[in-house]
Amino acid sequence: MSDGPVIVAMGGRSLEREISLRSGHRVEQALRELGFEVHALDLDARFIDQVLTMRPRFVFVAMHGRGGEDGTLQELLETLAVPYTGSDALGSALCMDKILFKRQLRLHHIPTPSFHSFSETAFRELGGARTFPRLLEQLGLPVVIKPVAQGSAIGIKFVSTPEEIPAAMLGAFGYGDRVLVEERVLGRELAVTVLGPPEEPRVLPIVELHTESGFYSYEAHYTIGQVRLEAPAELPDEVARAVERVARSAYSLLGCRDFARVDLILDQRSVPQVLEINTIPGLTETGITPAAAEAEGMSFTQLTREIIRRVVV
């Protein structure tokens, strides 16, 4: 392994750029505290040349959203044989694509809300809107309409009447060419950060999210005061064990590694239903993963050390 510096890859051009920069700079500071020489890079067309020049020991991937969380950056680093933190290219791509992700969960009997999906071609050219009555018979109302490949609740709309569906669909297509229509499951909003390899995942304390709107919006993700995080969540022991078991199962199934955050809804029957996995969860001061680590008695620097454990061996 190279004895070179560590690169923190952040920024980029996704809609989550500013949050990525905040996460990246916090990681940069933690890595310096751990004794590494660190170069924080705001990714652009120079990135590969910078990697080839610096010959880094490893890359800490702190990019959220497209380009960083969908396997794109991971494939480039794998081609160069440069170690990096987080899930590999396949696991990243599967978790970022909400349709493939949910199909994997269903195939392996991990609970997730019922859903259908539409491509822009199906909706605009093949009369996909004519299927809405059948869709609502199956999913009921309300439903959640969301872009397939965005994070941080970007582009999500809650629809409570049939008349709202076309506009919500068009809005979601503004973020990509595929849209997920999902049953809205009411319940307690939980998040479980998982560390380590898929073979031996370790869960941090369960976090419950409390918002005035009942929805963890983009603003609530990253604005102080928009959400109250309860860590650890107050749950009966058997329910907490079920939540942890489902989170570990989803993490392992998708081949996640190092760290990821599993977002769930604990429905009104106390069944934990998986919504998504964030393979590069936010590491800002308001982030759920740092809050879970703090509830475990870990500082942010200690959390960073756990995340990089595999790549510094």
Side-chain angles (χ1 to χ4, degrees), residues 29-48:
Q29 180 180 349
L31 288 170
R32 292 190 193 282
E33 291 175 2
L34 290 170
F36 293 97
E37 177 189 351
V38 186
H39 292 275
L41 299 183
D42 186 350
L43 267 64
D44 58 24
R46 300 170 295 171
F47 178 68
I48 296 301

Side-chain angles (χ1 to χ4, degrees), residues 37-296:
E37 177 189 351
V38 186
H39 292 275
L41 299 183
D42 186 350
L43 267 64
D44 58 24
R46 300 170 295 171
F47 178 68
I48 296 301
D49 286 338
Q50 291 169 323
V51 170
L52 292 172
T53 299
M54 293 182 188
R55 297 175 56 84
R57 183 172 182 180
F58 64 88
V59 174
F60 191 111
V61 180
M63 281 184 64
H64 309 309
R66 288 183 175 177
E69 205 165 354
D70 59 4
T72 300
L73 179 58
Q74 290 79 2
E75 286 184 328
L76 291 172
L77 293 173
E78 288 171 13
T79 300
L80 298 177
V82 174
Y84 60 88
T85 59
S87 298
D88 67 12
L90 176 59
S92 299
L94 287 173
C95 289
M96 189 69 175
D97 187 308
K98 295 179 175 65
I99 296 171
L100 294 179
F101 172 72
K102 287 172 70 71
R103 293 195 187 281
Q104 285 291 312
L105 296 181
R106 280 295 175 90
L107 186 62
H108 291 85
H109 309 292
I110 295 175
T112 189
S114 299
F115 67 99
H116 287 287
S117 62
F118 289 87
S119 69
E120 193 165 11
T121 298
F123 188 63
R124 294 184 184 275
E125 299 178 20
L126 301 179
R130 295 291 300 276
T131 68
F132 290 167
R134 292 290 298 276
L135 179 149
L136 294 180
E137 286 178 11
Q138 296 170 38
L139 301 183
L141 284 169
V143 293
V144 187
I145 295 178
K146 59 180 77 171
V148 165
Q150 290 290 345
S152 295
I154 291 171
I156 287 181
K157 296 291 184 183
F158 296 104
V159 171
S160 55
T161 68
E163 292 75 23
E164 296 175 284
I165 293 177
M169 294 281 286
L170 288 172
F173 281 130
Y175 296 95
D177 62 359
R178 291 180 301 150
V179 167
L180 184 73
V181 182
E182 185 179 67
E183 171 193 14
R184 185 173 189 190
V185 175
L186 300 178
R188 299 171 68 176
E189 197 164 359
L190 307 175
V192 182
T193 294
V194 188
L195 303 175
E199 301 83 11
E200 297 182 39
R202 168 192 173 192
V203 297
L204 295 183
I206 300 166
V207 178
E208 183 167 6
L209 289 63
H210 300 276
T211 60
E212 290 187 5
S213 65
F215 168 54
Y216 191 41
S217 65
Y218 179 86
E219 291 74 17
H221 270 72
Y222 305 115
T223 304
I224 293 174
Q226 289 283 318
V227 63
R228 179 172 66 86
L229 302 179
E230 183 179 358
E234 290 191 15
L235 298 168
D237 289 345
E238 65 275 14
V239 174
R241 286 194 295 269
V243 171
E244 292 172 351
R245 183 170 58 251
V246 166
R248 280 194 297 265
S249 296
Y251 181 93
S252 297
L253 171 65
L254 275 299
C256 298
R257 68 184 187 192
D258 298 344
F259 77 129
R261 192 187 77 226
V262 184
D263 293 343
L264 311 96
I265 289 288
L266 186 67
D267 71 18
Q268 295 172 341
R269 300 169 297 149
S270 293
V271 174
Q273 300 209 35
V274 177
L275 299 178
E276 62 182 7
I277 294 181
N278 293 273
T279 53
I280 307 176
L283 297 172
T284 67
E285 294 79 359
T286 59
I288 297 169
T289 289
E294 184 177 347
E296 182 79 349

